[in-house]
Amino acid sequence: MCRILFKIILLSLLASTSQASLLKQDVPDVGVSSLLLFENDPTFARNSQLQELMALMEAGKRDEANLRIARLLAKNNQDKGALELAGISLMQMKNFKVAEEAFRRLMQLPPVKPSVITRYGVTKIINGDVEFGVKLLRQVVQYTPNDALANRYLGWVAEKTGDVVGAAAYLSKLPSVSQVGAQEYHVALARNNYATGAFGTIVEMFEPLYPRYKVEPNTLSTGAAFYLTLAYAAQGDKRKSASLAKALRPYISANPLNLFGLDMGLASIYKDETAGIAALDLLISKEPGGEASGRYELAKLYVNSDNIPAAVAELDSVLILAHEADIANVLNMMIPLLVGESMNSHAVNTMRKLVRKYPSNNSFLFGLAEVYAISGMDDEFVNAIDKLTREPKSYSPAYRLGAKWAAQKGDPVLEKRYLEEYTSAEPQDLQGWVALAGFNYNRNKLDDAIQAIKLGMQSNPKSAQLKYELGSLYQARGDIELANQQYRDSLKLKGDYFQAMDNLASNLLDANTDLDEASQYAGILYQVLPEDPYIKDLMGWSLYRSGEFQDALVYFKESAAVIVDSGRSDYHAGLTLIELGRKKEAVVYLKSALSKGLSNPLINQVNQHLAELN
């Protein structure tokens, strides 16, 4: 099955209505969620000035509250307390632009509290600078992993970009239902857990709220009941699911989309096509504008039921009904389905129709080119790529697609040309430079690969990844000192760049130098990846260099038992056993190291040790 190369955010197609939808995720409301705003800074929640401001807002005296905040902001720019109070008050009032300015000033007055960084990051996200805001929040959770507000917004961004696993991980760090009662983020957590199949977690979280299947008429109660109903069904507990659905239905019946979500969700779980069709018919009768999203969900039910012709027919209908901006979502399911079922001609015709209907949408022509490539229609593919790359407005992703196609066809000249054209068109895209360097590396042109990364660094001087890639290439050339310098530079830019940390620690341990630095990195890596056999080997190597041979041997044995394509752990175990005076066991591990494979220098060292032991 192919993977279409569109860059798509996988979000529900369901549109919002006047009544809150249980199926979509809104920007978290910090104005309501004081619980999160003060979770890591509770003293501020008790601040008398803040309480007075909140009382004014609750009393509808917004102008007076604004006047007081203006006075706070007019104070000395060095008054950190006034700035923070103003920023928090403005967040509560949802005046995020001015709140951002207050926290920006605070960021320039060290020392800066983590809670200030969090609030600044949140205002950046809300005001549209998501990338910078996320960067700040990730720095916060690296040192204060349970920062509630940071995790809430990181979870929101992860879900928005389709990373439901990451979203669930962030949201699960927030205070639990048993600690604070049901909150809006618990419904968001349930939504992401449902998407990942973590049904038991949903049941564990929400079941205590409904001992007698009583649902309250508010968004939190209905939202929790909605996902608990589906989780019960997914676990096969039809009785509980039916009882809760019966209690829930009266409270969501006024919203056709929520009712459809419940009925179609249950129909999909039970693979009940009749119930799914009935749910769609009801939706169309109550909310005609929801037909496209309803048919999309029915198509997913058909796929789950292995009724592929019916699924394709529904998706064909959706493409006619959907807005242009929503079509990518449909194609993300439809094209892999068609190709996986060897219905390539249908896929080609589908994309051709879209290209004709939307001639200025290059993403559709790009998708058609990809289908041509998958279907072996080389001439058509080349023509499509030529159209996409025609000046003056070339569609740069086509160069990458052309390079992949050229590589499959065994045409290195064309592949290199496409890669160079892509890096010229998109110099800020790191992966283009990495691909060009990889092209040269795979042809044993190390100097050309190094030059490609250096060119990329000219456009991206603060890229930790390119510095790491350059270090890896230097290491492949045998320039270990130059490699280590690049790894260190990479870590200065991104302190948790684990690949750079791993390579640097390994090199230092091999050279038996800077052992404190190497040991620090090994410890960090083992803390993060305790089950990784290569990290276990690194941890053992660090202990070996410290003379802790018995402890080192434990790690080496665990690592060697798992790794089959490298003899490095076996070699290290052999060295350790020699130090412990267990020569017969050492011989076994050293021979195993040779059989698994080692670099030439290590092979010579192993043979020397074996000769001495014999």
Side-chain angles (χ1 to χ4, degrees):
M1 185 174 289
C2 79
R3 178 181 64 84
I4 198 158
L5 296 180
F6 296 138
K7 293 181 179 178
I8 300 167
I9 296 175
L10 295 175
L11 296 178
S12 171
L13 289 175
L14 292 171
S16 61
T17 65
S18 58
Q19 185 175 338
S21 171
L22 302 175
L23 303 180
K24 73 186 188 79
Q25 47 114 18
D26 297 309
V27 179
D29 188 346
V30 294
V32 173
S33 186
S34 298
L35 169 71
L36 300 186
L37 194 56
F38 301 115
E39 171 72 15
N40 294 298
D41 201 0
T43 56
F44 240 102
R46 298 188 293 272
N47 182 285
S48 59
Q49 286 184 281
L50 179 63
Q51 289 176 346
E52 289 176 12
L53 285 167
M54 295 303 103
L56 287 173
M57 285 186 277
E58 289 173 5
K61 299 179 180 180
R62 191 179 184 89
D63 290 341
E64 187 176 345
N66 278 329
L67 182 60
R68 291 200 185 187
I69 292 171
R71 288 172 182 164
L72 287 170
L73 289 173
K75 281 189 174 186
N76 188 328
N77 281 345
Q78 304 299 310
D79 189 336
K80 297 170 73 172
L83 284 171
E84 188 167 10
L85 178 59
I88 292 173
S89 301
L90 288 161
M91 288 184 79
Q92 290 285 69
M93 296 172 70
K94 301 184 182 179
N95 190 343
F96 297 111
K97 286 289 185 185
V98 185
E100 178 185 330
E101 175 59 21
F103 290 120
R104 185 192 67 77
R105 292 188 201 175
L106 274 169
M107 292 287 288
Q108 297 174 345
L109 300 174
V112 181
K113 298 192 298 184
S115 59
V116 169
I117 301 174
T118 296
R119 291 164 185 149
Y120 183 48
V122 168
T123 57
K124 294 294 285 186
I125 289 173
I126 293 173
N127 290 330
D129 191 351
V130 176
E131 182 178 355
F132 185 69
V134 166
K135 181 179 180 181
L136 288 174
L137 297 187
R138 284 178 176 165
Q139 290 175 354
V140 169
V141 298
Q142 185 176 351
Y143 298 101
T144 53
N146 293 319
D147 186 303
L149 190 60
N151 280 304
R152 179 63 189 98
Y153 275 84
L154 286 171
W156 175 74
V157 173
E159 182 177 3
K160 189 181 178 209
T161 55
D163 180 11
V164 292
V165 175
Y170 284 123
L171 295 172
S172 65
K173 294 179 182 178
L174 300 178
S176 67
V177 173
S178 61
Q179 291 174 311
V180 296
Q183 304 293 325
E184 59 81 23
Y185 62 80
H186 292 127
V187 177
L189 175 58
R191 182 170 57 245
N192 286 279
N193 279 333
Y194 186 78
T196 60
F199 309 121
T201 303
I202 298 173
V203 171
E204 182 181 350
M205 179 167 57
F206 287 149
E207 188 172 45
L209 301 178
Y210 306 96
R212 297 181 181 178
Y213 307 111
K214 182 180 179 182
V215 179
E216 298 297 330
N218 60 67
T219 302
L220 282 178
S221 182
T222 55
F226 180 91
Y227 287 104
L228 181 58
T229 299
L230 295 178
Y232 278 145
Q235 287 192 319
D237 197 331
K238 291 186 177 182
R239 182 185 63 81
K240 288 183 178 180
S241 179
S243 297
L244 192 54
K246 182 179 179 180
L248 172 63
R249 200 174 297 277
Y251 297 109
I252 64 173
S253 58
N255 187 316
L257 290 173
N258 285 340
L259 187 60
F260 171 79
L262 178 65
D263 290 339
M264 183 60 77
L266 293 170
S268 296
I269 290 168
Y270 298 134
K271 298 183 180 181
D272 187 340
E273 295 181 4
T274 301
I277 293 169
L280 175 63
D281 289 343
L282 180 60
L283 174 66
I284 295 173
S285 69
K286 299 287 186 181
E287 186 76 37
E291 182 177 357
S293 58
R295 290 192 181 281
Y296 179 79
E297 295 299 322
L298 180 58
K300 293 200 301 190
L301 186 158
Y302 284 137
V303 171
N304 291 337
S305 302
D306 293 324
N307 188 348
I308 304 304
V312 172
E314 289 299 333
L315 292 171
D316 283 335
S317 298
V318 174
L319 289 177
I320 295 171
L321 295 166
H323 294 293
E324 182 179 355
D326 295 326
I327 288 175
N329 242 355
V330 184
L331 295 175
N332 196 49
M333 180 169 81
M334 185 175 188
I335 298 302
L337 177 66
L338 292 171
V339 173
E341 296 294 324
S342 300
M343 299 172 67
N344 293 43
S345 61
H346 195 122
V348 168
N349 290 333
T350 296
M351 296 309 303
R352 281 175 173 169
K353 288 177 184 177
L354 290 171
V355 170
R356 287 194 295 269
K357 186 175 181 180
Y358 304 101
S360 62
N361 191 323
N362 282 330
S363 66
F364 293 149
L365 181 55
F366 179 84
L368 176 59
E370 187 176 28
V371 174
Y372 282 149
I374 293 167
S375 304
M377 301 171 68
D378 294 345
D379 291 340
E380 290 84 353
F381 173 83
V382 172
N383 288 335
I385 293 296
D386 285 344
K387 287 180 182 178
L388 287 166
T389 56
R390 195 170 294 158
E391 297 294 345
K393 292 184 179 180
S394 61
Y395 186 67
S396 54
Y399 292 122
R400 289 292 304 274
L401 182 59
K404 291 179 181 179
W405 177 81
Q408 291 173 352
K409 296 298 177 182
D411 188 339
V413 175
L414 185 59
E415 180 184 359
K416 184 179 181 184
R417 193 196 89 193
Y418 277 133
L419 288 173
E420 289 175 339
E421 288 176 335
Y422 181 76
T423 54
S424 176
E426 298 287 347
Q428 306 299 322
D429 186 349
L430 307 181
Q431 299 315 308
W433 296 108
V434 172
L436 180 57
F439 170 86
N440 289 307
Y441 177 83
N442 291 335
R443 286 157 182 79
N444 296 317
K445 296 181 178 180
L446 264 176
D447 290 341
D448 289 347
I450 289 171
Q451 184 60 26
I453 295 296
K454 285 183 175 179
L455 284 173
M457 291 172 68
Q458 291 177 10
S459 301
N460 305 277
K462 297 198 181 224
S463 167
Q465 181 183 356
L466 291 185
K467 290 185 182 296
Y468 164 75
E469 297 290 350
L470 183 58
S472 298
L473 292 171
Y474 279 142
Q475 182 154 345
R477 198 170 70 178
D479 296 331
I480 303 302
E481 287 303 318
L482 287 176
N484 288 348
Q485 184 57 55
Q486 293 301 319
Y487 296 145
R488 287 187 171 109
D489 289 347
S490 177
L491 288 167
K492 287 177 185 176
L493 292 168
K494 188 174 185 290
D496 60 349
Y497 205 130
F498 296 137
Q499 296 98 316
M501 205 179 286
D502 184 14
N503 284 8
L504 177 57
S506 183
N507 287 346
L508 295 178
L509 292 168
D510 286 349
N512 202 15
T513 186
D514 296 319
L515 296 183
D516 287 343
E517 181 183 6
S519 176
Q520 178 188 357
Y521 291 144
I524 292 172
L525 288 166
Y526 184 71
Q527 209 170 20
V528 176
L529 301 166
E531 299 304 319
D532 188 307
Y534 296 94
I535 300 304
K536 286 183 179 181
D537 176 69
L538 183 70
M539 190 65 188
W541 198 215
S542 173
L543 291 169
Y544 175 91
R545 289 303 193 193
S546 301
E548 301 173 57
F549 302 122
Q550 198 64 56
D551 290 338
L553 185 60
V554 174
Y555 289 101
F556 291 143
K557 284 187 171 183
E558 289 181 1
S559 177
V562 177
I563 298 175
V564 296
D565 58 352
S566 169
R568 186 176 172 87
S569 293
D570 298 79
Y571 167 61
H572 289 157
L575 292 182
T576 308
L577 288 162
I578 290 173
E579 294 291 343
L580 293 171
R582 293 156 62 177
K583 296 183 178 180
K584 287 185 179 179
E585 292 177 75
V587 169
V588 173
Y589 274 99
L590 292 174
K591 288 182 177 180
S592 175
L594 290 175
S595 67
K596 287 183 179 179
L598 293 167
S599 63
N600 286 331
L602 289 185
I603 289 174
N604 294 333
Q605 291 180 34
V606 170
N607 285 329
Q608 183 178 345
H609 284 299
L610 286 173
E612 292 171 356
L613 291 171
N614 291 329

